[in-house]
Amino acid sequence: MSDYQTLLQQSTDNPNSFWREQARRIDWQRNFSSVLDDSDPPSPKWFCGGLTNLCHNAVDRHLRDREDQPALIFVSTETNSERTLTYRQLHREVNIMASVLLNMGVRQGDRVLIYLPMIAEAAIAMLACARIGAIHSVVFGGFAAASLAVRIDDAQPALVICADAGFQSGQLINYKQLMDAALDKAVHAPSRLLLIDRDLSPCDMKPERDFRYDIERVRELDAEVPCTWLPSEAPSYILYTSGTTGKPKGVQRDTGGHAVSLATSMELLFQAKPGNVMFTTSDLGWVVGHSYGLYGPLLAGMTSVLMEGSPVRPDPGIWWRLVKTYQVNLMLSSATAMRLLKRHGFGQPDTEPTRLASLRALFLAGEPLDEATAHSIEKALGVPVVDHYWQTETGSPMIGLPPTGHQRGADDKLPVTALPRRHGSPGLAAAGYRLAVVDEETGIPCPMGKKGLLVAEGVLPPGCLTTLWGKDADYRRIYWSLQDGAWRYSTFDWAVADKDGYIYLLGRADDVINAAGKRIGTREIEEILLEDEAVAEVAVVGTSHILRGQVPVAFVVLHRHAMQNDSKAVERRLIDAVDNSLGTLARPKRILFVNSLPRTRSGKILRRVIQDVIAAKSIQDLDAPDLQLIITDLSSAFHAKEKQQLMLEESSP
Ligand code: AMP
């Protein structure tokens, strides 16, 4: 058994001593009295009695040894600008922002909703919230006003922070206008808005409500705001994600467990060292941006490169030029981005063999990584490509293997791993997870090689969601079940395990699709489409897409009176409705008008039947009459099977 496996085993056999050791990676203002309080399952409290602060650990702690090292480098290929903040400068800016937040009435435990593009102020605002114990909720800029309003109403923030504008795939997006529309719609709109003006687009300012950061900032240039020491279990942030219901779920994370889990994964999985440079291509509005764009690298004393812009603009070589310019050691991105770059020959990263010499590994997460992409990118870059699996809920990887052997440090304490990676699988359960693949119906563990649901047994390790914001009953009901007296967390992913415990992911088991690594709830799209007066019934399912992994496709039944309507016009209207409510990322790739949808006897739409029909077809081949026939056939087959089952049940004693 390798040292790494021994370490993994310790993490599950003796979690208390394992996590006590890992907790040394961060500073505690008051030490914790117990590692784990599991008296209220399935909501463990990690590092009870401990007081700490995320901002202190991410920023202040490094001032002694690395104040002049760049902490954050923000590059915008949209505005052709670059901004570097050393740890000293970041510390200053965070103090200023924290003071502005306090002046605007934000207090410990208040929520601050951040709706910003990839600019330094996004990271500064997150850290400023952490500094004063406010709970940030970052909303990705691609979300439209209605989605933003739903999140505002759920989080009920004391303040929203937004920019005048940003860019999505080269297109100017007016963030302030979207925020204004969201605040008009929201029932719990806060009375204060802080505007970061980039001078990209004129803004209407509402006197009394809207404040300009440039004006507020200069008043606080010398402000010193001490970190608020928070109980380990105090919420640090809320991040909304899609689920089976039509409403987004506010994943809530704690403070101490979150810091410890990130610091642990930075070393054990990413093999990061202080002073290393990490380039995470995700937006800060997603969990990958939170964990490995901001907090993880800073907790580890690294430099984090963040970018506003697309991987293919101004040309597909841009990412590799950034790797070279900033001497990036670790890169974290998505399979979709790599497939896009593959189309462009990866922007020829290997034409100058020495230019990516700094890069040690490329990590990919968020969606299945196909073998062809993994092989070709590995060949093009000449570095290991490391697939790892996790969810917004877990905050750090659940499955993954470090790229190569751990290097022994001066203290000789680091473990060596020689575990081979297997293409198609992110690898083995990460530290602290006891994963199992179980039968969906019975909950009994599946034999090796059989597909089942991926679950985590017992207590989730530090850093995982502690509940859903304001919806603890939903948290317990949605994710947790009791199996033979033991708690079990469902990932809602299909998986299969091999004899060595390597886990292969086989897609979502619920109504969530994964488009370009972004989670989209099909119910959310259905609810928007159903609002149209012409629509009688609708089913949205995911179909495979060569670039984006999956894309949503909508099957729509029109009301009889609307059948005469021009279907092109209805289609346009429906697409606009999704764009305006959820954002373009949820836009159905095709809308297919059909006469009916298959249903169970109890009236439930048979989404899986539809899914199966289109899974075998490419998006271009989707043709409504043809599909209607297949769906009707499958639906009859399903009903026949259902009837047979019923007869069997009735005839059994
Ligand atoms: P999110 O919460 O948006 O990060 O999405 C999490 C979901 O993305 C998981 O439940 C999986 O369905 C999928 N996912 C994440 N990482 C991987 C991976 N490495 N391989 C396959 N699917 C993945």
Side-chain angles (χ1 to χ4, degrees), residues 243-245 508-513 520-524 540 607:
T244 37
T245 62
R508 291 288 297 198
D510 59 2
D511 298 325
V512 168
I513 61 173
I520 301 172
T522 52
R523 295 290 161 106
E524 289 173 58
V540 173
R607 286 185 179 72

Side-chain angles (χ1 to χ4, degrees), residues 260-444:
V260 171
S261 76
L262 288 183
T264 304
S265 68
M266 284 315 308
E267 187 174 305
L268 292 192
L269 189 70
F270 292 94
Q271 300 187 314
K273 298 180 183 63
N276 279 178
V277 182
M278 182 147 183
F279 173 27
T280 297
T281 65
S282 166
D283 191 282
L284 283 171
W286 304 113
V287 72
V288 180
H290 278 56
S291 291
Y292 298 110
L294 185 67
Y295 288 118
L298 294 190
L299 286 166
M302 299 167 79
T303 299
S304 180
V305 179
L306 294 148
M307 179 186 164
E308 176 182 54
S310 123
V312 289
R313 276 164 52 90
D315 63 78
I318 178 66
W319 280 4
W320 316 123
R321 285 204 296 285
L322 294 185
V323 169
K324 189 183 174 206
T325 306
Y326 301 110
Q327 292 291 292
V328 171
N329 307 111
L330 302 170
M331 189 167 160
L332 171 48
S333 189
S334 70
T336 293
M338 291 306 138
R339 283 191 289 266
L340 181 64
L341 287 177
K342 191 173 158 197
R343 276 194 181 171
H344 295 272
F346 289 119
Q348 265 92 51
D350 55 348
T351 45
E352 293 168 48
T354 52
R355 75 180 200 168
L356 296 184
S358 61
L359 193 65
R360 294 205 300 267
L362 169 67
F363 293 82
L364 299 178
E367 56 186 317
L369 172 63
D370 57 285
E371 245 179 276
T373 303
H375 278 305
S376 44
I377 183 86
E378 218 154 30
K379 195 160 154 246
L381 294 183
V383 298
V385 170
V386 186
D387 184 12
H388 58 300
Y389 161 91
W390 51 298
Q391 312 180 300
T392 305
E393 286 83 348
T394 62
S396 71
M398 293 180 94
I399 307 176
L401 284 173
T404 53
H406 273 296
Q407 332 253 298
R408 280 181 188 269
D411 58 2
D412 206 29
K413 271 193 191 145
L414 296 178
V416 172
T417 173
L419 285 170
R421 283 170 298 113
R422 296 180 185 170
H423 279 304
S425 165
L428 303 173
Y433 285 100
R434 287 194 288 125
L435 299 182
V437 176
V438 302
D439 185 279
E440 184 193 14
E441 304 280 319
T442 63
I444 295 170

